[in-house]
Amino acid sequence: MESRPAGSAGARSPTSDLNVALRECMAALDLFLNNKFSDALASLQAKTKDSMYHALTYATILEMQAMMTFDPQDILNAGNTMKEAQATCQRVTADIKANQNDRLYVDENMVSFIKGGIKVRNSYQTYRELDSLIQSPHYVKGENHLHFEGGVKLGVGAFNLTLSMFPARILRLLEFVGFSGNKEHGLLQLQEGASSYSFRSVLCTMLLLCYHTFMTFVLGTGKGNVEEAERLLKPYLARYPKGAIFLFFAGRIETLKGNIDAAVNRYEECCEAQQYWKQFHHMCYWELMWCFTYKRQWKMAFFYADLLSKENTWSKATYIYMKAAYLSMFGPDDCSPFGDSEAELFRIVPSLKLKIAGKSLPTEKFAIRKARRYLSSNPVPLPVPPLEMMYIWNGYAVIGKCPNLTEGMLETLIEAEEALARSPATELLADDRCVIKLLKGLCLKHLGKISEAEDHFNYIYLNEKKIKYDHYLIPNALLELAILYLDQDRREEAIKLLEKAKVAQLEMSMWKEADASRVKKLGLEQLLEITGDGTCWMKNGGLELELKLKLVTGFLDD
């Protein structure tokens, strides 16, 4: 709903001002998507004190930069700019309620989201009211109704999708104070927002691309909706063939399809497309590191881990851990590219721990836990550290689409298993054997050797008592076996295994209730939806659904 013209005949109407603001902001957005980042910011800055659309667009671009850099100064600048944008919005009377809420998703991290419950609830309720208004027979469409409706669809969709992925315990608490999240409704709202011509359509598209190519894949069972992601990306890639954001997503889609060489080309193309924001390069370096891991080109993977460790501040501990991990895979005749020592790199990992809002990153916790092995004067080497971390990031679902990559990885794991058998027995022998068994089982499953894969997953569960430190292997082995059974339509057996996985998880000696409260839903939710009675299970409290990443890291000390 737009404001109507007011004032003297010679004055410009609010509607006219709104039209101009929307055109200018969409032009700035076009510059941004064409990699002209500084031009986009410059075109907006002059009107950030007077126009809420200019202020919000300017602040949102800075927030995106801050999220990519994790640089404290960038975060501070973006936060201050967003507060100024909010102040501008509060001074504007037209369309104020919808636009106040645009700041929510870029200004609030997860901790402030919870602590600022009243503020968030007000935003949530505002979106619900606006959504009801759009559905009302009394709603009158103005000249810019598509932009207004697009903002509502973005807000309603993002809220529903985000809330639907919260841990069951937190979600129940949020429902008590008036929140609710429906994943399907959220996706539908975002799809409608993405398909319409509006100022927010590209934001709806980007959120959906993130969901389909990252969230459902990394934090689920490795089965993202690649076809939908391709459909969403296609028109933008045609319009912005050199747009760094869209080239990155194109690379990600190729990765998920198992087209690793094509993915590498896309990521390299993305790096060449612009030099202004090096953070886009870092995102590509991370993906390239994994692409070369899938291809078992350890030196190239090391190269990108090294670049990240020197240029990016997101997680130095993870990058150094990966450098050491790749060095451990070098052959006896291979020299360290920079004279780095594998053991020394592992030893410094714990000192690089980063805390965000007082909490450690899950991948860092895992890396630190594994690297502690090297603190002794005579450490027992990790058998296949990059391939174990690859499991955490669901990499086996990628190579599973390429038999030649899977066979190559299986060969590497068999060699590691044979080397372990030749080595003197240590107290960590059972842990190392079970790590290799889990990863071999995944390779065998993807190669269609179901019986052998089943034996490998069962081996871990049968040797549960022998495992000294890597207790995460037990629930994850049960999970992978359950997925295997579901793929064979052995539903009842799969359900029993999922129940066992939960019991195994709760019995972990290092499980902490504080960690449990932060648990998010696992890709198991997808599995239970397949079984047809997952929702009933959740309501009856039978099985707490959690992220695979959390199954791995939930038992680790901060």
mmCIF file of all heavy atoms in Angstrom, residues 362-376:
data_model
loop_
_atom_site.group_PDB
_atom_site.id
_atom_site.type_symbol
_atom_site.label_atom_id
_atom_site.label_comp_id
_atom_site.label_asym_id
_atom_site.label_seq_id
_atom_site.Cartn_x
_atom_site.Cartn_y
_atom_site.Cartn_z
ATOM 1 N N PRO A 362 31.604 -25.097 15.245
ATOM 2 C CA PRO A 362 31.606 -26.567 15.309
ATOM 3 C C PRO A 362 32.789 -27.194 14.579
ATOM 4 O O PRO A 362 33.411 -28.127 15.086
ATOM 5 C CB PRO A 362 30.275 -26.946 14.655
ATOM 6 C CG PRO A 362 29.387 -25.784 14.911
ATOM 7 C CD PRO A 362 30.286 -24.581 14.823
ATOM 8 N N THR A 363 33.095 -26.679 13.391
ATOM 9 C CA THR A 363 34.205 -27.279 12.632
ATOM 10 C C THR A 363 35.539 -27.052 13.334
ATOM 11 O O THR A 363 36.434 -27.892 13.271
ATOM 12 C CB THR A 363 34.225 -26.727 11.193
ATOM 13 O OG1 THR A 363 35.175 -27.443 10.421
ATOM 14 C CG2 THR A 363 34.570 -25.255 11.160
ATOM 15 N N GLU A 364 35.670 -25.918 14.063
ATOM 16 C CA GLU A 364 36.889 -25.668 14.832
ATOM 17 C C GLU A 364 36.989 -26.627 16.009
ATOM 18 O O GLU A 364 38.057 -27.132 16.334
ATOM 19 C CB GLU A 364 36.914 -24.225 15.341
ATOM 20 C CG GLU A 364 37.391 -23.219 14.325
ATOM 21 C CD GLU A 364 37.816 -21.916 14.974
ATOM 22 O OE1 GLU A 364 37.703 -21.781 16.209
ATOM 23 O OE2 GLU A 364 38.277 -21.028 14.241
ATOM 24 N N LYS A 365 35.863 -26.856 16.672
ATOM 25 C CA LYS A 365 35.867 -27.771 17.807
ATOM 26 C C LYS A 365 36.327 -29.159 17.377
ATOM 27 O O LYS A 365 37.093 -29.827 18.082
ATOM 28 C CB LYS A 365 34.470 -27.841 18.416
ATOM 29 C CG LYS A 365 34.027 -26.558 19.113
ATOM 30 C CD LYS A 365 32.577 -26.606 19.532
ATOM 31 C CE LYS A 365 32.333 -27.576 20.652
ATOM 32 N NZ LYS A 365 30.929 -27.542 21.133
ATOM 33 N N PHE A 366 35.857 -29.571 16.214
ATOM 34 C CA PHE A 366 36.263 -30.885 15.704
ATOM 35 C C PHE A 366 37.758 -30.900 15.389
ATOM 36 O O PHE A 366 38.476 -31.833 15.763
ATOM 37 C CB PHE A 366 35.456 -31.223 14.461
ATOM 38 C CG PHE A 366 35.721 -32.600 13.927
ATOM 39 C CD1 PHE A 366 35.123 -33.697 14.503
ATOM 40 C CD2 PHE A 366 36.575 -32.785 12.859
ATOM 41 C CE1 PHE A 366 35.373 -34.980 14.019
ATOM 42 C CE2 PHE A 366 36.839 -34.056 12.370
ATOM 43 C CZ PHE A 366 36.239 -35.159 12.958
ATOM 44 N N ALA A 367 38.231 -29.849 14.694
ATOM 45 C CA ALA A 367 39.649 -29.779 14.328
ATOM 46 C C ALA A 367 40.541 -29.756 15.563
ATOM 47 O O ALA A 367 41.568 -30.452 15.620
ATOM 48 C CB ALA A 367 39.898 -28.538 13.469
ATOM 49 N N ILE A 368 40.150 -28.976 16.563
ATOM 50 C CA ILE A 368 40.955 -28.876 17.787
ATOM 51 C C ILE A 368 40.990 -30.210 18.515
ATOM 52 O O ILE A 368 42.039 -30.645 18.997
ATOM 53 C CB ILE A 368 40.398 -27.760 18.690
ATOM 54 C CG1 ILE A 368 40.680 -26.389 18.043
ATOM 55 C CG2 ILE A 368 41.001 -27.819 20.090
ATOM 56 C CD1 ILE A 368 39.924 -25.250 18.675
ATOM 57 N N ARG A 369 39.834 -30.861 18.575
ATOM 58 C CA ARG A 369 39.761 -32.156 19.256
ATOM 59 C C ARG A 369 40.684 -33.183 18.593
ATOM 60 O O ARG A 369 41.382 -33.927 19.279
ATOM 61 C CB ARG A 369 38.302 -32.641 19.224
ATOM 62 C CG ARG A 369 38.092 -34.003 19.848
ATOM 63 C CD ARG A 369 38.260 -33.928 21.371
ATOM 64 N NE ARG A 369 37.963 -35.202 21.989
ATOM 65 C CZ ARG A 369 38.780 -36.248 22.011
ATOM 66 N NH1 ARG A 369 39.968 -36.148 21.450
ATOM 67 N NH2 ARG A 369 38.417 -37.369 22.602
ATOM 68 N N LYS A 370 40.703 -33.195 17.279
ATOM 69 C CA LYS A 370 41.546 -34.154 16.563
ATOM 70 C C LYS A 370 43.033 -33.768 16.652
ATOM 71 O O LYS A 370 43.901 -34.642 16.724
ATOM 72 C CB LYS A 370 41.123 -34.229 15.099
ATOM 73 C CG LYS A 370 39.674 -34.626 14.858
ATOM 74 C CD LYS A 370 39.350 -36.019 15.356
ATOM 75 C CE LYS A 370 39.982 -37.104 14.513
ATOM 76 N NZ LYS A 370 39.480 -38.450 14.867
ATOM 77 N N ALA A 371 43.313 -32.462 16.635
ATOM 78 C CA ALA A 371 44.704 -32.008 16.631
ATOM 79 C C ALA A 371 45.395 -32.216 17.971
ATOM 80 O O ALA A 371 46.627 -32.257 18.032
ATOM 81 C CB ALA A 371 44.758 -30.525 16.245
ATOM 82 N N ARG A 372 44.638 -32.368 19.053
ATOM 83 C CA ARG A 372 45.245 -32.551 20.385
ATOM 84 C C ARG A 372 46.120 -33.792 20.446
ATOM 85 O O ARG A 372 47.001 -33.905 21.307
ATOM 86 C CB ARG A 372 44.155 -32.631 21.451
ATOM 87 C CG ARG A 372 43.517 -31.291 21.771
ATOM 88 C CD ARG A 372 42.396 -31.433 22.776
ATOM 89 N NE ARG A 372 41.729 -30.159 22.998
ATOM 90 C CZ ARG A 372 40.505 -30.036 23.487
ATOM 91 N NH1 ARG A 372 39.813 -31.120 23.803
ATOM 92 N NH2 ARG A 372 39.969 -28.854 23.658
ATOM 93 N N ARG A 373 45.859 -34.714 19.549
ATOM 94 C CA ARG A 373 46.667 -35.930 19.498
ATOM 95 C C ARG A 373 48.152 -35.609 19.311
ATOM 96 O O ARG A 373 49.033 -36.361 19.755
ATOM 97 C CB ARG A 373 46.169 -36.808 18.357
ATOM 98 C CG ARG A 373 46.928 -38.095 18.169
ATOM 99 C CD ARG A 373 46.454 -38.884 16.972
ATOM 100 N NE ARG A 373 45.099 -39.401 17.100
ATOM 101 C CZ ARG A 373 44.668 -40.479 16.458
ATOM 102 N NH1 ARG A 373 45.478 -41.154 15.663
ATOM 103 N NH2 ARG A 373 43.429 -40.892 16.593
ATOM 104 N N TYR A 374 48.444 -34.477 18.659
ATOM 105 C CA TYR A 374 49.826 -34.134 18.315
ATOM 106 C C TYR A 374 50.535 -33.325 19.398
ATOM 107 O O TYR A 374 51.679 -32.914 19.212
ATOM 108 C CB TYR A 374 49.845 -33.348 16.993
ATOM 109 C CG TYR A 374 49.532 -34.218 15.801
ATOM 110 C CD1 TYR A 374 48.216 -34.506 15.459
ATOM 111 C CD2 TYR A 374 50.548 -34.773 15.019
ATOM 112 C CE1 TYR A 374 47.911 -35.319 14.375
ATOM 113 C CE2 TYR A 374 50.258 -35.580 13.931
ATOM 114 C CZ TYR A 374 48.939 -35.856 13.626
ATOM 115 O OH TYR A 374 48.646 -36.666 12.552
ATOM 116 N N LEU A 375 49.859 -33.094 20.519
ATOM 117 C CA LEU A 375 50.496 -32.326 21.585
ATOM 118 C C LEU A 375 51.538 -33.142 22.335
ATOM 119 O O LEU A 375 52.391 -32.577 23.021
ATOM 120 C CB LEU A 375 49.431 -31.811 22.559
ATOM 121 C CG LEU A 375 48.430 -30.796 21.971
ATOM 122 C CD1 LEU A 375 47.403 -30.389 23.019
ATOM 123 C CD2 LEU A 375 49.158 -29.571 21.426
ATOM 124 N N SER A 376 51.476 -34.456 22.233
ATOM 125 C CA SER A 376 52.479 -35.293 22.904
ATOM 126 C C SER A 376 53.795 -35.251 22.130
ATOM 127 O O SER A 376 53.839 -34.870 20.958
ATOM 128 C CB SER A 376 51.977 -36.731 23.010
ATOM 129 O OG SER A 376 51.934 -37.337 21.730
#
